[in-house]
Amino acid sequence: MEELGLTDYAIRRFALAGNPGDWISHIEEVALAGATQLWISPGGGRLERQLHYMEILGKEIMSHFV
């Protein structure tokens, strides 16, 4: 992806990255573009890491949209 110059595009298009404020901004952008649902996965790695990100998602990000 890097060789083709697609890394930034792929992250912007298919990922929530950065701090919780960045996630909220990105979700707001895709909602304004017409999205009504998101598919979110905590990614791979250790279970503790996945739980950590799911906790942030629930407490700091999705609570913003309730």
Side-chain angles (χ1 to χ4, degrees):
M1 296 242 324
E2 188 65 36
E3 286 181 26
L4 298 174
L6 296 174
T7 302
D8 289 337
Y9 168 79
I11 289 172
R12 189 78 193 124
R13 174 94 168 132
F14 301 110
L16 292 173
N19 63 47
D22 294 333
W23 289 32
I24 290 168
S25 294
H26 192 92
I27 292 169
E28 288 172 338
E29 287 176 23
V30 298
L32 286 173
T36 59
Q37 297 180 9
L38 294 174
W39 178 68
I40 298 173
S41 170
R46 296 184 347 252
L47 180 58
E48 295 82 19
R49 180 175 177 259
Q50 294 178 33
L51 292 171
H52 169 75
Y53 286 111
M54 292 305 287
E55 185 174 322
I56 291 172
L57 179 67
K59 289 183 179 177
E60 299 182 40
I61 297 165
M62 298 314 289
S63 63
H64 176 82
F65 297 99
V66 175

